[in-house]
Amino acid sequence: TAQDFAWWSGLTLKDGRLAIQLAGTDLEQETSDDRVYLHAGDASVASEELRAPQLLPAFDEYLVAYKDRSDALEARHARQVIGVNGLFNASVVIDGRITGTWKRSLSQTGNMIELSPFRALLKKELKALDNVARRYGDFTGFPVQLQQPQ
């Protein structure tokens, strides 16, 4: 929304609306429940990327950038992701929804990523998350082992 954009960018709402206006046809608008949402013109690419499982770091803008997080996070899981002290935990995202949290620990042999899902994960989701974890290991230069839930 224009309000989210202004808050996230640090612009005033007036300047944020001007920036949106200047973006012109590069942004598309959709209205849902009387709220206007803005997104890149080629939403098909973003939509496909959102469907792929992700391991987001704590304080990722996927949640931090929005006042209303209900589109990404069920209220019943909010305290597991956002603590009472306002600290955000690293999140597991599948199909654009927060489906759990994760923690990394270091050892002499590399990184261990422990998943804490809010629901049972499908085999294909676990395989995709394992691939994400391996990419993370490639980025850090340390091997990663994904500890799957029991």
Side-chain angles (χ1 to χ4, degrees):
T1 65
Q3 291 81 3
D4 290 325
F5 173 66
W7 179 83
W8 183 82
S9 66
L11 296 171
T12 64
L13 184 56
K14 179 181 176 183
D15 287 343
R17 287 184 173 141
L18 176 60
I20 290 166
Q21 183 181 11
L22 292 172
T25 58
D26 289 340
L27 293 177
E28 291 184 13
Q29 296 185 13
E30 293 184 33
T31 303
S32 177
D33 296 327
D34 296 325
R35 292 175 65 191
V36 177
Y37 294 90
L38 305 155
H39 60 84
D42 187 5
S44 62
V45 173
S47 179
E48 286 300 317
E49 290 172 3
L50 281 177
R51 288 188 182 101
Q54 300 294 323
L55 296 172
L56 298 183
F59 293 101
D60 188 85
E61 62 265 16
Y62 190 67
L63 284 181
V64 173
Y66 302 97
K67 184 175 182 180
D68 177 3
R69 299 176 177 106
S70 61
D71 288 337
L73 177 63
E74 290 182 45
R76 65 186 171 133
H77 299 301
R79 279 287 169 241
Q80 293 166 278
V81 178
I82 308 164
V84 293
N85 55 5
L87 296 178
F88 284 68
N89 290 310
S91 302
V92 177
V93 179
I94 298 175
D95 288 329
R97 304 280 299 168
I98 306 296
T99 57
T101 59
W102 65 277
K103 290 185 180 182
R104 179 193 64 148
S105 58
L106 298 173
S107 71
Q108 291 180 344
T109 59
N111 293 302
M112 172 71 73
I113 293 179
E114 178 184 350
L115 298 177
S116 297
F118 302 149
R119 62 165 175 79
L121 299 176
L122 302 173
K123 286 183 183 180
K124 70 178 185 176
E125 293 170 336
L126 286 169
K127 182 178 179 181
L129 288 169
D130 190 60
N131 288 336
V132 171
R134 290 180 194 283
R135 286 194 345 251
Y136 174 71
D138 291 344
F139 174 76
T140 63
F142 296 100
V144 173
Q145 182 179 4
L146 185 67
Q147 183 178 346
Q148 299 181 8
Q150 304 294 339

